[in-house]
Each structure stands twice: as structure tokens, then as C-alpha cells.
Amino acid sequence: MSLFALQKVRVVRSGQVILDIPELVIGRGGPHAVLGPNGAGKSTLFSLLSFLSLPDAGTISFSGAPPAARPAELARLRRRVVLVHQNPVLFSTSVIKNVEYGLAMRGASKKEREEQARAALSLVDMEDFANKKARALSGGETQRVAIARALVLAPEALLLDEPVASVDEKNREVIRGLLRTISGTTILFSSHDASFAEGLARSFLHMDRGKMTGGCLES
């Protein structure tokens, strides 16, 4: 069964069509890569897939369920799909408190939060930074903590919008290695750098000016 299924999806801004996808099926697993230049529509697509916005036309279904539209339905889907933005914002607390935040919102105990947050930080090789101030991190370190903050919620799908666009070479390779090792969740990342996806992504989708220009994300 596919994870996402899009049918006749369009997004219009100021009378201009900025995303036009007749049909797209995204399989489970991954990593899957969405490639294209700036302005190709990648971020708009990821906003739709994470259910943070709705298309102006067409439907998006998740895990075989009927398309959601009501606020309560969308809220439930946002617990199953997590998006990490290109320039994530961390709270002005410690690194571990940032990673614990989502678990606290879901009612996890203090012990559960700390154990799971430390495990997530270990996955991204940031455990030694647990008690440091999050706002003092570099761009690459911030991206890794944001990924840990997403992974600790055990989402069914993790969407990473340009995860290495603003990071140095060291952090780029750490993130690349991380994406190879994540299991148990579907990974979908976007990039304007095809070299980052080579040898990493299992399938590719190419986009330009809001349209698909090649590739397939089916498993």
C-alpha cells in the first residue's frame, strides 16, 4: 500500500498556478528524493504532504485513508507526518529540552522524555550537546537537533526540506549518513543538489516550475 496518493493537486497564488501535480504515489520506506531548482515547488509540495496546508484543488490521501479536510482530521495526521524546515527554529532553552518538547505535549513522563530525547540525540551524534544552549549551535548542528526533535516522535513519515542547503561539509556528511540508517519511518527529502541524493535516495522525483518533470517515488 502507498503512503501518499495525490490526485489532480493544484496550488494557486495570486491567480498563478505554482503547483500542478496530476497524479503522484509515494511508497513507504525510502529515502525518497525530490529534486529541483529553487522555485520548483518543492517546499509547497512538502507543506501539503505534512498537512500544514491544503491544495486549492485535488486530493491527498495518507496510508489508504480518505482525504482529510476537517481540522481534527488534519491534527491527527500532523502527529503521523513531521516536517523539518530548511532553517528550523529552536527554542532558547537547552538542546535536550528542545528535543523533549513534542513528547511533553503528548503527555510523556519526565523519565520517558529524557530517555527518548537522549536516544534521538545519539542517533544524530549530538548527545554531547544535550545540555548546551540550543541557540548557540551552528547551522548544521541546529539541523541535526531538529531532525532528532522530529525522530523522537516516531512519525510514520519524516519530511526534510533542503536538509543540507545551509550546512557545512562535516554536517552534510553526518546528515547523509543518518538518512542511510533511519529505519521504521518513510523518509522524503528535497534538494536542489543532485549530488547529495546520488547513492542515497532509493527513488527520485524531479520538479521544475511547480510541475513534475520526471522520476517516480513509488516503492
Side-chain angles (χ1 to χ4, degrees):
M1 180 186 295
S2 64
L3 192 61
F4 293 95
L6 287 68
Q7 290 285 337
K8 300 179 180 179
V9 166
R10 301 182 90 204
V11 176
V12 181
R13 296 287 183 270
S14 301
Q16 181 179 357
V17 177
I18 63 170
L19 192 70
D20 185 4
I21 298 180
E23 182 177 13
L24 175 63
V25 174
I26 302 174
R28 296 177 183 273
H32 303 295
V34 178
L35 304 176
N38 293 334
K42 303 185 301 294
S43 294
T44 301
L45 174 61
F46 275 41
S47 181
L48 296 178
L49 294 178
S50 56
F51 302 101
L52 297 176
S53 61
L54 292 173
D56 294 295
T59 60
I60 302 173
S61 62
F62 181 76
S63 196
R70 295 196 296 267
E73 296 171 332
L74 293 170
R76 284 192 290 271
L77 288 171
R78 290 175 192 138
R79 294 171 68 95
R80 301 170 67 185
V81 182
V82 178
L83 170 66
V84 176
H85 293 279
Q86 177 178 341
N87 296 302
V89 176
L90 301 182
F91 301 122
S92 57
T93 56
S94 67
V95 165
I96 195 165
K97 291 296 183 185
N98 270 271
V99 179
E100 288 181 0
Y101 179 78
L103 294 172
M105 293 298 98
R106 296 187 180 188
S109 69
K110 182 177 180 180
K111 181 180 179 181
E112 289 173 327
R113 295 199 305 267
E114 183 171 356
E115 288 178 350
Q116 293 178 41
R118 288 192 180 279
L121 285 171
S122 180
L123 282 174
V124 301
D125 198 21
M126 289 290 291
E127 191 173 10
D128 290 344
F129 292 75
N131 297 315
K132 294 186 180 295
K133 289 292 185 181
R135 294 282 178 86
L137 300 177
S138 70
E141 292 164 349
T142 296
Q143 185 69 240
R144 286 156 62 187
V145 170
I147 294 172
R149 185 171 61 181
L151 286 173
V152 79
L153 299 175
E156 291 178 52
L158 174 61
L159 312 182
L160 305 172
D161 190 10
E162 294 278 3
V164 296
S166 304
V167 308
D168 58 29
E169 189 63 28
K170 175 185 175 181
N171 283 289
R172 173 189 169 100
E173 290 309 307
V174 171
I175 293 171
R176 183 185 178 90
L178 171 65
L179 295 186
R180 285 198 179 102
T181 60
I182 294 173
S183 61
T185 189
T186 294
I187 305 295
L188 185 66
F189 68 91
S190 68
S191 181
H192 63 268
D193 181 0
S195 66
F196 177 73
E198 289 175 3
L200 172 62
R202 192 177 75 189
S203 65
F204 299 84
L205 177 70
H206 297 272
M207 296 184 65
D208 190 26
R209 299 179 185 180
K211 296 180 181 292
M212 299 186 300
T213 60
C216 175
L217 297 181
E218 293 185 62
S219 58

